[in-house]
């Protein structure tokens, strides 16, 4: 199935192409050698990779002869035996599948999830190498074709619906840029407005809030294969910034796998706190920061990677000073299709990212 040439003229992408050239030049200068891997739980920050585990920290031991840890020790062995069978038979299972093999023994899904993460960290291998997959919640659309592990060819041509983020792909088509959308509602609105075709060739992804492992793996794979510009579209609030940071720098809980999951080259496209004033978004569309929001914002401002992002810091300090936040949907107060017809095209054409 061919993609219809509905995108803008080539001159539209001049700033994007220059941005990509600068990203490639930075890669060539830096080399981006793979980081050393550890087996600890604490983290440090490395600008080219994201959050990384420190080499020296307090570790926790699980012993078979300790009453406090004997049950967890047994559960680890149980799951290790299941992983061994999966690898030997070259089959795959989801974390949910493993939990339901003996739900009474495991107690709840969180216990299984944590043990699998511990095993992955302990063995210094990504979860997929354990033949354990996650059920995808993310969606993808745009100028993307890929081949699934069983040979099925999938086209994500933008239409009224999107494709679930795959757990594994073997062949991917190129695009001009990748847009990560925080929320499913915004993603669906862009689909309804035919954004992908108007901005073709491009790819859109949403993790429907905090991204799952498969969504992060796919974003990372797209970056590694093509080094196309990656942009994030999130709410102008601390939660949206947190989600953007997960894509760009990773999370503490998965810091042992940061080299497989993070895209430090990702840029903040919107919604910026400065956009609120610049666009004269009506006050009735703004929301006061809660105490929890302020605590989250203060926490992000103290993180080491914020020191590498002075423009991010300026935007977050502006949010802290004004004590208001705004959802992406606030742009609808300007016009119903302002996001897809005006805001995003102008940002992409004139380089309105930080």
């Amino acid at each position: 199935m061919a993609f219809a040439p509905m995108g803008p003229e080539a001159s539209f992408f001049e700033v994007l192409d220059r941005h990509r050239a600068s990203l490639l030049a930075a890669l060539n200068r830096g080399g981006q050698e793979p980081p050393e891997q550890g087996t600890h739980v604490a983290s440090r920050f490395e600008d080219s990779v994201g959050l990384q585990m420190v080499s020296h920290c307090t570790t926790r031991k699980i012993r078979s002869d300790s009453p406090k840890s004997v049950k967890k020790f047994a559960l680890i062995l149980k799951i290790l035996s299941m992983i061994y069978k999966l690898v030997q038979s070259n089959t795959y299972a989801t974390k949910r599948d493993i939990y339901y093999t003996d739900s009474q023994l495991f107690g709840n899904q969180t216990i299984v999830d944590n043990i699998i993460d511990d095993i992955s960290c302990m063995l210094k291998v990504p979860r997929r190498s354990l033949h354990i997959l996650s059920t995808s919640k993310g969606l993808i659309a745009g100028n993307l074709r890929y081949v699934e592990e069983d040979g099925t060819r999938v086209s994500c041509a933008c239409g009224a619906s999107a494709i679930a983020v795959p757990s594994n792909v073997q062949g991917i088509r190129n695009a001009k840029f990748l847009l990560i959308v925080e929320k499913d509602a915004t993603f669906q609105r862009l689909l309804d407005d035919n954004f992908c075709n108007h901005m073709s060739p491009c790819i859109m992804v949403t993790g429907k809030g905090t991204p799952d492992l498969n969504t992060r793996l796919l974003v990372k794979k797209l970056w590694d294969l093509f080094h196309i510009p990656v942009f994030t579209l999130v709410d102008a609030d601390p939660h949206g910034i947190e989600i953007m940071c997960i894509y760009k720098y990773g999370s503490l809980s998965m810091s042992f796998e940061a080299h497989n999951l993070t895209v430090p080259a990702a840029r903040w496209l919107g919604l910026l706190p400065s956009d609120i004033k610049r666009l004269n978004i009506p006050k009735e569309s703004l929301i006061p920061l809660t105490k929890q929001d302020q605590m989250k914002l203060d926490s992000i401002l103290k993180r080491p990677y914020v020191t590498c992002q002075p423009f991010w810091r300026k935007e977050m300090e502006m949010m802290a000073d004004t004590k208001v936040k705004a959802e992406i949907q606030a742009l609808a107060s300007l016009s119903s299709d302002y996001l897809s017809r005006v805001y995003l095209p102008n940002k992409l054409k004139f380089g309105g990212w930080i």
Side-chain angles (χ1 to χ4, degrees):
M1 178 179 176
F3 293 105
M6 296 176 61
E9 296 180 358
S11 60
F12 178 91
F13 293 114
E14 286 180 358
V15 176
L16 268 174
D17 289 339
R18 288 200 298 270
H19 176 52
R20 186 187 184 197
S22 69
L23 293 175
L24 292 172
L27 280 174
N28 291 333
R29 288 195 303 270
Q32 277 207 338
E33 293 295 326
E36 294 183 359
Q37 299 179 39
T39 58
H40 305 291
V41 294
S43 300
R44 61 183 170 84
F45 169 71
E46 185 175 313
D47 186 39
S48 63
V49 178
L51 292 171
Q52 294 284 286
M53 289 179 296
V54 298
S55 56
H56 302 288
C57 66
T58 303
T59 58
R60 180 165 51 93
K61 292 183 178 180
I62 306 296
R63 298 168 57 95
S64 62
D65 58 354
S66 169
K68 292 183 178 180
S69 62
V70 64
K71 181 177 180 180
K72 184 164 186 179
F73 184 88
L75 293 179
I76 290 174
L77 290 182
K78 169 74 172 177
I79 293 178
L80 278 170
S81 70
M82 297 174 71
I83 290 170
Y84 177 78
K85 291 176 182 177
L86 290 170
V87 173
Q88 286 291 97
S89 61
N90 195 29
T91 56
Y92 291 82
T94 66
K95 294 185 294 183
R96 200 67 175 160
D97 292 334
I98 290 177
Y99 168 68
Y100 276 117
T101 59
D102 199 332
S103 58
Q104 290 188 347
L105 174 65
F106 292 122
N108 61 67
Q109 183 70 56
T110 302
I111 290 175
V112 173
D113 296 351
N114 290 339
I115 289 176
I116 290 170
D117 288 343
D118 287 345
I119 291 172
S120 180
C121 181
M122 179 175 64
L123 298 180
K124 305 181 188 178
V125 296
R127 189 191 300 165
R128 182 167 180 81
S129 296
L130 305 177
H131 283 230
I132 296 176
L133 307 175
S134 297
T135 302
S136 296
K137 70 168 184 171
L139 298 172
I140 187 164
N143 290 68
L144 176 69
R145 290 175 179 156
Y146 64 86
V147 181
E148 291 184 336
E149 203 167 34
D150 62 1
T152 303
R153 297 181 180 274
V154 180
S155 172
C156 301
C158 197
S161 60
I163 304 295
V165 167
S167 59
N168 187 43
V169 293
Q170 295 185 341
I172 301 179
R173 181 187 175 106
N174 204 351
K176 281 287 187 181
F177 66 92
L178 168 63
L179 179 64
I180 300 170
V181 182
E182 175 191 351
K183 297 192 296 192
D184 184 39
T186 304
F187 183 87
Q188 296 297 335
R189 179 56 197 257
L190 290 173
L191 284 181
D192 292 342
D193 289 348
N194 211 17
F195 176 80
C196 289
N197 285 331
H198 287 302
M199 292 292 106
S200 179
C202 70
I203 300 169
M204 284 199 316
V205 171
T206 180
K208 296 183 180 180
T210 303
D212 60 1
L213 184 64
N214 287 343
T215 304
R216 294 174 63 190
L217 282 170
L218 181 63
V219 169
K220 172 66 170 175
K221 185 163 189 173
L222 287 168
W223 164 249
D224 285 344
L225 283 175
F226 301 119
H227 297 121
I228 56 176
V230 177
F231 301 114
T232 56
L233 177 65
V234 299
D235 288 338
D237 66 15
H239 183 68
I241 295 171
E242 178 76 271
I243 288 173
M244 176 174 60
C245 290
I246 291 174
Y247 283 106
K248 186 175 176 73
Y249 294 121
S251 60
L252 288 175
S253 62
M254 296 295 289
S255 59
F256 63 90
E257 208 176 333
H259 55 290
N260 290 325
L261 298 173
T262 59
V263 183
R267 297 293 185 265
W268 187 1
L269 187 65
L271 182 64
L272 302 179
S274 58
D275 290 335
I276 297 172
K277 182 177 180 180
R278 181 177 65 85
L279 299 174
N280 291 317
I281 295 176
K283 289 185 178 180
E284 54 268 25
S285 298
L286 306 180
I287 306 169
L289 288 179
T290 65
K291 186 175 181 180
Q292 187 177 13
D293 287 333
Q294 291 173 341
M295 291 174 61
K296 169 67 75 175
L297 190 58
D298 290 343
S299 171
I300 296 173
L301 282 166
K302 293 175 183 176
R303 295 178 188 176
Y305 47 71
V306 174
T307 62
C308 306
Q309 298 290 342
F311 294 110
W312 282 29
R313 171 175 285 278
K314 184 178 179 181
E315 292 289 336
M316 285 186 274
E317 289 175 344
M318 185 180 303
M319 185 187 299
D321 290 341
T322 59
K323 293 182 170 54
V324 295
K325 59 185 179 180
E327 297 182 343
I328 298 167
Q329 287 86 341
L331 294 174
S333 64
L334 303 177
S335 72
S336 60
D337 59 355
Y338 191 86
L339 174 65
S340 61
R341 305 297 185 189
V342 180
Y343 183 79
L344 289 177
N346 283 341
K347 284 264 186 174
L348 293 166
K349 183 175 182 178
F350 299 110
W353 55 78
I354 57 175

